[in-house]
Structure formats: structure tokens, C-alpha cells
Amino acid sequence: MKKSEWSDKQLEELLRQMPKIHDNRNPRDIYQNLSIKKRKRPAWLIPGFAAAAALLLFFLLVPKMLNGTQNSFDSAKQEESSSEAKMSQSDDHSSLLMKEDSKSGSEPEMRITEINKNALYDDEAGDGTVITYWIPDSQAQNLVPISIVVTPDNNKNWLTIFTESMELFNEEEWGLADYYPLNAKFELDETKNTVIVDLPKNHPYGQGSTAEINFITTLKNNIASNSNVNKIMLKTDGQPGVELGNYGVLEEIEVKPEGKHAYFFYKPDGMDTTYLVPSTDTYQDINAALEAMKTDQQEQALKASLIPSFPIKDVTAKENKLIITLDEKAAMENSQETVNSFEAILLTAKEFGIDTITIVNAPIQLLGPFDLTKEMKVPLAPNLRQIQ
């Protein structure tokens, strides 16, 4: 509250506004009376006049001073209320962060919102059609599964959507080999549950063993990931069979999903991207696969995906459910790499017929976008990417 101060000019103006006193007596009589009174005036009279004048000024000035004080007080009150309101709004906004982050029992961390999922889950696909493509890496050592969500079209089957969408790829932006669209014609024979692949005579898929193996594996994985088709018929320029150096003449390929692979990290050179890629090897059970995920796969240039920041203590599989008990005394880092590790576990579990995973004794409640206190469904597909 500001202190009210009256300047000399304000006091002078105030005195001018006081009522005028009129006296009709003769000036000489007044002077004479004053002279007599001056001689006879008691000593206490001067202080009395001063007190009366002061009292008069007090009654004249106090109302205005009080009014000014009240205005100042009201103004200060409004400023204080406005300040409190702003602070309250700020506190409300911060509390939302606190509520979001306090679930983990730690201090608020804005980076939690920056940690992203890699895979695609059933509550995110909506009504879209999910298609997974297998794309060789830049060194042709691995086939990286890339998944997209396409607007559904009831007039098109999955194979038509598959062939049309691969025209939109720009694999090099993803750090992968320029492989699509495939140089072939595709046809779906629903009566025989078969996909017919017709290659031109000058196709590039027989130029070396690596190219041949990748082509055959790509066909099988693409069809197995997106349909229940169990056979591929190969043609060359409309004629049955395709000649490949290491395979001879191939006319049919059986499509049978293997499963039981373990997922590892693949990081393209010069990029921060981490892909979740299955091993070429298969494993007897989920425990063997998880154990393998602790070690780099040198032959495939894949990195270990079960990292120390996801401290598994025990694993129990019951029918299609997996229960993972963590070491609650170990530190779990809330980071993108730990989220990637968790998703590698989810995808590996799916390879062994697991539908859901439950985490017990998690050191933290929230791991990026995942709530570790809730049962988690395995992903629909790995490595979600957007295409135009």
C-alpha cells in the first residue's frame, strides 16, 4: 500500500475551498476590540486556537485521506489477487506435470514426453490396414521389418494395398537399402490361397547369393506378416519357374511362419535411429531368447537389446502370459534405450506365442509411455513409420 502525501499546493487548494466568514462590523471597532483582547488574552488562548485550527483541518482532511487510502488499498488488493490468480494458474499447470511424473515417484522430467514407442499397438491402429515390409539394411546383412498403417479400402485386398503402398517408400531416408518397389507383378489366387509372383527376364534378384537369399526371404516374410497365404508360385515373364544360381529353378515356395526369434537393436551408420530386428537364429524357449539378447550378434551386426537398465530377475510363462519379475533394488533408467529394450522383449515374447506381459517389482511406475503397473499387450507390428 502506497503512503498518501499532501503537497503544499494541495493544502493551499484545500484551504481555498473552505467556507468564507463574513463580518459586518466596522473595521475600527474590530481593531479596537482586538487591541483590548490582545492585552487581556490569557496565556492558554493561543494554544487553544491552534488546537481548534488543527482539529478543523483534521475533520476536513481525514475523509479525503481515508478515501485515497482506501483506493490505494483496493488497488493493492486487486494487484495481489491478480498475482495470486496467475500463480494459481501456474501452479495448476505445473501440478499436471507433477501428477504425470509423480506416478514414477521421481522429480518431474519433461523428457518423459519425448520418449517414443517404436512398435505399433492395437489401440493405435484404429481402422487402418497394417502392412509390414521387410527391407534389407544398407549392408544387406539384415532384413529390417518396417510397418505402416494405410487407410482401409474395401474395394482392395491386402496384396493390392501392399503393392501400391511400396511405391511410396524412400528407404534411404530410413537408413536402409533402396529396395522397393519390387520389380515383379503380384497376383492373389484366393481359391488356392496362393500369391503369384511374376518376374521379368532381366530381374536383379539373381545377381549373387546374398541377393537371392534376401529376395526369397523377403517374399516369404512379407506374405507371412500380412496374410494367411501358405504358398508362393514363381514365374518369369509369364512362364512357370524362376532360375536362381544357388536354388536352381524355383516354381513354388512354402510360406510357414517360424517364430521363436529374438529381437535385437540395429542402428544405421550415421543415424540416431534404433530398429528392432529379429535374429536369424531361433531359440528353444523365451528364457533362451532373453539370455541371447544380452549379447551382441556379430555376424548380423546387431546390438544387445536386453540392457542392464532393464534388470530382469525372473521370468515365468503361463500359457499365453509372461510374468517378468524385476530387481526392485536395481536402478531403472527412464530413457529411450530402456523403452527400446522393453519393446524388444515384447516383440520377442510375441515370437513365442505370448499375448500379454506383466511386470512385477518395477523400480519405477512409468517407463516413457508405458505404465509398468498394468498388463501390457504385445505389439501388432515392429518399427512403425509414416509414409505420404
Side-chain angles (χ1 to χ4, degrees):
M1 182 175 66
K2 295 182 179 179
K3 181 179 179 181
S4 298
E5 295 181 358
W6 292 84
S7 65
D8 293 339
K9 185 175 181 180
Q10 289 175 318
L11 289 173
E12 182 180 353
E13 183 65 23
L14 179 63
L15 291 174
R16 287 179 180 175
Q17 295 176 3
M18 294 177 64
K20 296 181 179 180
I21 301 175
H22 297 279
D23 195 335
N24 297 321
R25 291 178 297 171
N26 189 291
R28 184 176 56 187
D29 294 335
I30 295 174
Y31 175 78
Q32 184 177 2
N33 290 336
L34 287 174
S35 299
I36 295 173
K37 290 179 180 177
K38 183 177 180 180
R39 293 192 297 268
K40 294 181 179 180
R41 183 169 52 200
W44 54 264
L45 194 56
I46 294 177
F49 277 121
L55 186 62
L56 178 61
L57 285 173
F58 176 81
F59 282 109
L60 289 172
L61 296 179
V62 163
K64 290 191 176 183
M65 290 176 66
L66 290 176
N67 186 46
T69 300
Q70 183 63 39
N71 291 337
S72 298
F73 178 80
D74 292 341
S75 177
K77 190 73 174 178
Q78 291 176 357
E79 291 179 3
E80 182 180 1
S81 299
S82 177
S83 177
E84 289 179 352
K86 291 179 180 178
M87 289 178 66
S88 176
Q89 292 175 359
S90 177
D91 290 343
D92 288 344
H93 182 67
S94 298
S95 67
L96 292 176
L97 295 174
M98 288 293 290
K99 287 178 182 178
E100 189 68 21
D101 295 332
S102 62
K103 295 178 183 179
S104 64
S106 61
E107 294 182 358
E109 295 181 5
M110 290 300 293
R111 65 176 183 164
I112 289 178
T113 61
E114 299 173 357
I115 300 175
N116 300 312
K117 298 176 183 177
N118 187 305
L120 173 68
Y121 298 82
D122 59 358
D123 58 343
E124 300 168 338
D127 297 328
T129 300
V130 180
I131 302 290
T132 299
Y133 297 81
W134 294 76
I135 306 174
D137 63 33
S138 59
Q139 303 300 319
Q141 290 179 291
N142 300 287
L143 294 180
V144 180
I146 297 293
S147 303
I148 64 171
V149 179
V150 182
T151 302
D153 188 336
N154 294 331
N155 298 320
K156 298 177 181 179
N157 59 41
W158 70 268
L159 186 60
T160 302
I161 296 174
F162 173 88
T163 56
E164 289 180 352
S165 298
M166 68 182 178
E167 300 278 349
L168 305 175
F169 280 8
N170 191 345
E171 302 95 306
E172 292 178 336
E173 289 185 356
W174 299 336
L176 304 175
D178 184 7
Y179 199 72
Y180 289 86
L182 293 174
N183 189 11
K185 295 179 181 178
F186 291 84
E187 181 184 347
L188 178 62
D189 186 342
E190 294 182 348
T191 59
K192 297 181 180 180
N193 200 25
T194 299
V195 170
I196 303 169
V197 180
D198 192 354
L199 299 174
K201 290 182 179 180
N202 60 343
H203 68 81
Y205 306 116
Q207 300 174 0
S209 60
T210 300
E212 294 171 359
I213 293 171
N214 281 343
F215 176 68
I216 298 300
T217 307
T218 296
L219 285 181
K220 291 195 297 185
N221 289 357
N222 282 337
I223 293 172
S225 297
N226 300 300
S227 72
N228 295 319
V229 169
N230 55 28
K231 184 186 295 185
I232 301 172
M233 291 185 62
L234 296 172
K235 293 183 178 182
T236 301
D237 199 19
Q239 300 301 313
V242 171
E243 185 173 355
L244 299 173
N246 291 304
Y247 293 93
V249 177
L250 282 179
E251 293 188 0
E252 294 184 359
I253 301 174
E254 185 181 3
V255 179
K256 183 174 65 175
E258 288 184 339
K260 297 188 176 182
H261 297 276
Y263 272 75
F264 292 84
F265 291 165
Y266 170 71
K267 300 181 181 181
D269 292 338
M271 298 183 68
D272 294 331
T273 304
T274 297
Y275 291 108
L276 303 177
V277 177
S279 60
T280 54
D281 294 334
T282 58
Y283 300 90
Q284 182 177 357
D285 53 39
I286 183 67
N287 287 282
L290 293 174
E291 187 63 30
M293 290 162 61
K294 298 177 182 179
T295 308
D296 294 347
Q297 302 295 296
Q298 300 293 344
E299 293 182 359
Q300 289 185 260
L302 299 178
K303 298 295 183 181
S305 55
L306 189 51
I307 59 178
S309 63
F310 203 93
I312 293 180
K313 186 177 180 180
D314 184 62
V315 176
T316 303
K318 294 182 178 180
E319 296 180 353
N320 61 342
K321 298 178 181 293
L322 189 69
I323 300 174
I324 298 178
T325 303
L326 301 182
D327 184 356
E328 70 275 14
K329 297 181 181 178
M332 174 178 278
E333 183 181 353
N334 188 15
S335 66
Q336 183 66 60
E337 188 175 34
T338 310
V339 168
N340 292 341
S341 185
F342 182 46
E343 290 195 285
I345 295 170
L346 290 170
L347 287 166
T348 300
K350 184 178 182 179
E351 291 277 315
F352 290 87
I354 300 296
D355 293 332
T356 62
I357 289 182
T358 300
I359 302 296
V360 179
N361 291 338
I364 59 177
Q365 179 176 339
L366 291 181
L367 174 59
F370 296 104
D371 187 343
L372 298 182
T373 66
K374 297 181 180 179
E375 186 178 62
M376 174 62 59
K377 290 184 178 180
V378 298
L380 283 179
N383 303 314
L384 176 64
R385 291 296 181 271
Q386 304 294 331
I387 61 171
Q388 296 180 348

